[in-house]
Amino acid sequence: MGVKAFLVAFFLSTLLFPLAFSTSNDGLVRIGLKKIKYDQNNRLAARLESKEAEALRASIRKYNFRGDLGVSEDTDIVALKNYMDAQYFGEIGVGTPPQKFTVIFDTGSSNLWVPSAKCYFSVPCLFHSKYKSSQSSTYKKNGTSAAIHYGTGAISGFFSQDNVKVGDLVVKNQEFIEATREPSVTFLVAKFDGILGLGFREISVGNAVPVWYNMVKQGLVKEPVFSFWLNRNKEEEKGGEIVFGGVDPKHFRGKHTYVPVTQKGYWQVGYLYILGKLLLRLFATAFLFLEYNWQFDMGDVLIDGQATGYCDGGCSAIADSGTSLLAGPTTVITMINHAIGASGVVSQQCKTVVQQYGQTIMDMLLTEANPKKICSQVGLCTFDGTRGVSMGIESVVDEKAGKSAGLHDAMCSACEMAVVWMQNQLRQNQTQDRILNYVNELCERLPSPMGQSAVDCGKLSGMPSVSFTIGGKKFDLAPEEYILKVGEGRAAQCISGFIALDIPPPRGPLWILGDVFMGRYHTVFDSGKLRVGFAEAA
């Protein structure tokens, strides 16, 4: 499939809300979360559109490079960023006395890092709080070099050790990274100073013991459990709450549905194209490492109560507090965006496959051919024993210039998507003509470059629910929960909360359930029993 590279910008301004820490006689530690809202009316947007837009394209990736950049209230610097309802972050203290930093609490990573006072040559450090080891009586030198790689470069620096205050808890002798270099554009306008990873040690850079591990080891929490409540009500100031040591019954209804964690470490994706603007690394072909924690098995996805059938054989999912939207395989995301009337970009390869091979694929399905082998049997893929893979097919597109462009993965992937779409319609006893028309429509609805799709704000009431099967239970999202509205009145724009991300077997298909999902469902991360739980948020 081809790399999609199209930048649609929304401009950010911040609303700073009070931060609250609290403990109570129930033994729980509560961390209040701040919330950043979007405002697309900033005058600096045009200045960033040229030089910095290209850098931003490369910087939008997993750890808030999912598009959650904020700005300092007193600098009026605003970046062109992607579609987001809100960014959630909280405050911690490092050292004695505590030096304050705002951080993203990220279940998709495992290290703690903050800017260092020794960051001399990186401009973003001028705009953020910096850790000064000389001002802490509990500082212990380490000095081992460290780097966390991102799309635009790396956060680099060195390890240090000091006490870290989270709410009223003081984690002693915590290893963390003092960042002495930060990618310029990404962190120049970021409201947060650093990141506090809540993932497993298996993906911790330098094998540093994560903050959460030390909380448990030092007996600072009642139970090895933490939970997220993300407030999606834009009218309320409180952005949400993380509870360390248990759950707050005020923030959920009913009982949690728990599923076991199936993946704790990172894994190499390999040589593939990565789609999506909010979550992903580079808009180019690369060897990448994607770091995933809190991964579990998920069942099928339903649109308006109708099963898509894509995850009949099982899909994987992760609950990720550092991702704002909800990402999944292009095949299903396209079906969802078609159902909700989202506007995408025409994929010529997809339409070509339907035109040239659509009837043949349908005939083979009707004769009960093995769906996984169909695309190899029509000559668009090879078959590796479990699925189709690209044959490296080429098509001459400019005979005069003597050039050819490889369709490669695009044709193979388009064929595999068409097979799934046709299967879905055949289950519903649709006519062959209707099925071919439907598949062509889906080609039109393929996600916009870099993943976004827009919808008509006036048609939310007529949109279907989208449901995810977890632990044998359906978790529904209503239109007002999966559509992000940016702006007010005539200037308002509505964005689909679903974006495309394709991870091949055996690690995929993979879904990333970010804030769109976690805002609807209170989420419990139980490291003692290695499970994740979801219940309706209250």
Side-chain angles (χ1 to χ4, degrees):
M1 73 193 73
V3 178
K4 300 179 178 181
F6 174 70
L7 186 63
V8 180
F10 274 98
F11 317 135
L12 311 177
S13 65
T14 60
L15 293 177
L16 182 61
F17 297 120
L19 180 70
F21 301 130
S22 67
T23 55
S24 62
N25 55 17
D26 58 9
L28 304 179
V29 179
R30 296 173 172 82
I31 309 296
L33 296 179
K34 298 177 182 179
K35 180 163 60 176
I36 294 178
K37 296 182 180 178
Y38 280 80
D39 179 358
Q40 60 183 107
N41 298 313
N42 192 278
R43 56 188 170 79
L44 293 184
R47 281 167 46 186
L48 291 175
E49 188 171 6
S50 54
K51 291 183 179 180
E52 295 168 357
E54 189 61 36
L56 282 170
R57 289 191 184 106
S59 71
I60 300 165
R61 49 169 314 279
K62 193 169 174 332
Y63 310 96
N64 168 61
F65 320 135
R66 312 162 162 128
D68 296 321
L69 296 184
V71 296
S72 173
E73 289 182 314
D74 54 5
T75 60
D76 195 31
I77 298 176
V78 178
L80 295 176
K81 288 303 297 181
N82 44 20
Y83 308 117
M84 216 60 66
D85 181 273
Q87 171 191 335
Y88 300 90
F89 62 92
E91 189 174 86
I92 65 171
V94 181
T96 306
Q99 300 172 38
K100 293 182 179 180
F101 299 91
T102 56
V103 295
I104 293 175
F105 291 88
D106 182 18
T107 59
S109 64
S110 299
N111 288 88
L112 168 62
W113 66 263
V114 295
S116 172
K118 297 178 181 179
C119 179
Y120 303 120
F121 304 109
S122 195
V123 174
C125 290
L126 301 174
F127 295 88
H128 294 282
S129 299
K130 294 176 287 292
Y131 171 74
K132 303 176 179 64
S133 59
S134 61
Q135 296 182 8
S136 174
S137 62
T138 48
Y139 163 74
K140 294 181 181 178
K141 183 178 179 180
N142 181 310
T144 304
S145 61
I148 300 178
H149 293 275
Y150 299 117
T152 53
I155 296 294
S156 59
F158 56 91
F159 279 104
S160 289
Q161 188 172 301
D162 209 333
N163 292 352
V164 174
K165 186 176 182 182
V166 181
D168 289 330
L169 303 180
V170 177
V171 181
K172 297 181 179 179
N173 302 317
Q174 175 63 47
E175 281 185 291
F176 66 99
I177 298 172
E178 288 192 49
T180 56
R181 180 182 178 277
E182 301 177 358
S184 58
V185 175
T186 304
F187 292 99
L188 178 64
V189 294
K191 180 62 183 178
F192 66 92
D193 300 311
I195 291 169
L196 191 155
L198 291 171
F200 292 102
R201 187 174 182 177
E202 280 80 355
I203 68 167
S204 177
V205 171
N207 198 35
V209 179
V211 173
W212 170 243
Y213 278 56
N214 279 328
M215 280 187 186
V216 175
K217 183 179 179 180
Q218 295 175 21
L220 300 178
V221 291
K222 185 170 64 173
E223 297 179 73
V225 172
F226 61 91
S227 55
F228 275 81
W229 168 65
L230 303 181
N231 189 359
R232 304 297 279 182
N233 188 338
K234 298 178 182 179
E235 304 305 317
E236 296 182 7
E237 291 189 356
K238 189 172 185 180
E241 191 174 81
I242 306 174
V243 176
F244 290 104
V247 299
D248 188 338
K250 296 194 302 294
H251 291 315
F252 67 90
R253 301 184 184 93
K255 295 182 178 181
H256 287 83
T257 297
Y258 286 95
V259 287
V261 171
T262 59
Q263 175 76 27
K264 296 201 310 182
Y266 63 75
W267 39 268
Q268 186 175 4
V269 175
Y271 191 70
L272 66 135
Y273 289 101
I274 297 296
L275 301 182
K277 171 181 178 180
L278 306 174
L279 315 167
L280 311 174
R281 308 304 204 230
L282 291 168
F283 303 119
T285 307
F287 286 96
L288 300 177
F289 284 92
L290 294 189
E291 300 169 346
Y292 289 140
N293 285 291
W294 301 105
Q295 183 172 316
F296 52 89
D297 290 334
M298 188 185 83
D300 207 2
V301 179
L302 296 83
I303 304 173
D304 204 17
Q306 294 283 337
T308 61
Y310 187 82
C311 291
D312 280 349
C315 286
S316 296
I318 64 168
D320 191 347
S321 64
T323 296
S324 294
L325 300 189
L326 201 158
T330 299
T331 304
V332 186
I333 296 299
T334 302
M335 295 170 73
I336 292 172
N337 282 336
H338 174 267
I340 67 178
S343 300
V345 173
V346 176
S347 169
Q348 190 57 50
Q349 291 92 342
C350 180
K351 295 179 74 92
T352 299
V353 167
V354 177
Q355 180 182 358
Q356 296 182 4
Y357 302 96
Q359 188 61 53
T360 301
I361 293 171
M362 185 155 2
D363 291 342
M364 295 176 74
L365 285 171
L366 290 170
T367 58
E368 299 184 352
N370 184 340
K372 293 182 179 179
K373 294 183 177 180
I374 288 176
C375 294
S376 60
Q377 290 172 345
V378 299
L380 293 177
C381 305
T382 58
F383 187 71
D384 66 359
T386 58
R387 65 183 293 272
V389 294
S390 172
M391 292 178 63
I393 301 169
E394 293 187 347
S395 173
V396 176
V397 295
D398 190 347
E399 295 181 358
K400 291 183 179 179
K403 298 179 180 179
S404 66
L407 298 183
H408 299 85
D409 290 343
M411 296 290 279
C412 180
S413 297
C415 178
E416 291 191 327
M417 286 191 287
V419 169
V420 173
W421 295 337
M422 288 182 184
Q423 279 183 290
N424 174 269
Q425 292 296 290
L426 285 170
R427 289 193 191 103
Q428 299 179 37
N429 296 317
Q430 297 289 347
T431 66
Q432 293 191 32
D433 286 344
R434 176 66 190 96
I435 292 174
L436 291 173
N437 288 335
Y438 173 75
V439 175
N440 266 308
E441 289 174 7
L442 289 185
C443 287
E444 297 277 358
R445 300 292 186 178
L446 280 170
S448 300
M450 292 168 36
Q452 319 98 2
S453 293
V455 298
D456 186 342
C457 293
K459 296 183 178 180
L460 264 64
S461 61
M463 294 181 188
S465 64
V466 178
S467 308
F468 297 83
T469 307
I470 301 172
K473 180 179 178 180
K474 287 196 308 177
F475 290 81
D476 301 326
L477 291 177
E480 60 271 17
E481 294 160 346
Y482 63 69
I483 296 297
L484 305 183
K485 187 176 181 180
V486 182
E488 299 295 335
R490 292 185 177 181
Q493 297 192 35
C494 288
I495 308 303
S496 169
F498 301 98
I499 63 171
L501 167 65
D502 289 293
I503 303 298
R507 296 300 184 181
L510 179 78
W511 290 82
I512 299 179
L513 308 183
D515 294 347
V516 166
F517 188 87
M518 290 176 62
R520 176 68 174 85
Y521 294 101
H522 182 269
T523 307
V524 176
F525 298 86
D526 187 339
S527 60
K529 297 180 180 179
L530 286 179
R531 61 181 186 170
V532 184
F534 303 97
E536 184 180 354

